[in-house]
Amino acid sequence: MVESAGTVGFSGGAVSRYVTEFIGTFFLVLTIGCTVVSNPPGWIPPIAIGAVLIALVYAGRHLSGAHYNPAITVAIWIRGRCDAEEVLPYWVAQVAGAAAAAGITGYLVGPGTPMTIEGVPRALIAEFMFTFALAWVILNVATAKDTEGNSFYGLAIGATVMAGIFAVGDISCAAFNPAVAIALGMMDVVSYSQIWIHIVGTVGGAATAAVVFTTLNPDDK
């Protein structure tokens, strides 16, 4: 996440970047699926999801930037650290990883129990606000020049997702990620007809965070 999503700053080429995004999104979604489907609501899923995201961010940052989230790729592109031609391939890798994980989850633990989102405006706001928070944290701890080279970026990112799940999981299912939302639909955790809430809320929140970041940091190019 520290460098551009292009060839500059990463140890591998395009294939390495896309495979890393696939693997990272795969294990993020696999953890979400196995903990959410096989466990009753409680503290286990948020902690497991936050923990695996911390590990995956540290593991993949030097190869791909460790986005694992189409909305975050949009935010980093708006911020100027992702080449425009890399956005679509990143999305494809992320969604493919999420879909593969959803299929494996179905085999391992079976289908989930669908969550019907009753308050659509509340869910939309919840997804928008906490994806804004996630993108805001990522842009400031993993792309800002004043925090360059820090060792805490992974902890900050994972903790933000964990806090968001605890805070609004019962309101919106706490996807904060379009690829995760698609996978949750495949796992019967959310209705396909309501995935748009997560896609609109997450992309809108991440894009807004990027605009705010660039406005507040005009000299941080």
Side-chain angles (χ1 to χ4, degrees), residues 1 3-25 59-69 73 81-87 89-94:
M1 291 177 181
E3 302 290 347
S4 165
T7 56
V8 177
F10 293 109
S11 59
V15 173
S16 295
R17 295 196 296 277
Y18 307 148
V19 170
T20 299
E21 287 296 304
F22 178 95
I23 292 171
T25 312
R61 194 275 302 174
H62 68 292
L63 290 170
S64 72
H67 301 184
Y68 311 144
N69 183 335
T73 298
R81 292 293 183 92
C82 177
D83 298 334
E85 61 268 23
E86 293 282 350
V87 173
Y90 266 54
W91 287 354
V92 171
Q94 292 154 356

Side-chain angles (χ1 to χ4, degrees), residues 79-81 143-146 148 210-221:
R79 187 259 186 272
R81 292 293 183 92
T143 77
K145 62 183 180 181
D146 288 340
E148 186 175 356
V211 171
V212 173
F213 177 89
T214 55
T215 300
L216 297 180
N217 300 273
D219 297 326
D220 192 346
K221 302 298 184 181

Side-chain angles (χ1 to χ4, degrees), residues 40-153:
W43 57 269
I44 293 176
I47 292 177
I49 295 163
V52 78
L53 183 58
I54 291 170
L56 291 169
V57 167
Y58 281 124
R61 194 275 302 174
H62 68 292
L63 290 170
S64 72
H67 301 184
Y68 311 144
N69 183 335
I72 297 305
T73 298
V74 169
I76 295 177
W77 168 63
I78 293 172
R79 187 259 186 272
R81 292 293 183 92
C82 177
D83 298 334
E85 61 268 23
E86 293 282 350
V87 173
L88 183 58
Y90 266 54
W91 287 354
V92 171
Q94 292 154 356
V95 172
I104 295 295
T105 299
Y107 177 75
L108 293 177
V109 298
T113 301
M115 171 187 177
T116 300
I117 298 174
E118 301 293 345
V120 171
R122 292 193 309 144
L124 191 60
I125 291 170
E127 289 293 302
F128 179 93
M129 295 305 299
F130 275 94
T131 309
F132 178 101
L134 175 60
W136 176 254
V137 168
I138 289 172
L139 293 173
N140 279 282
V141 304
T143 77
K145 62 183 180 181
D146 288 340
T147 59
E148 186 175 356
N150 73 78
S151 59
F152 56 75
Y153 61 91

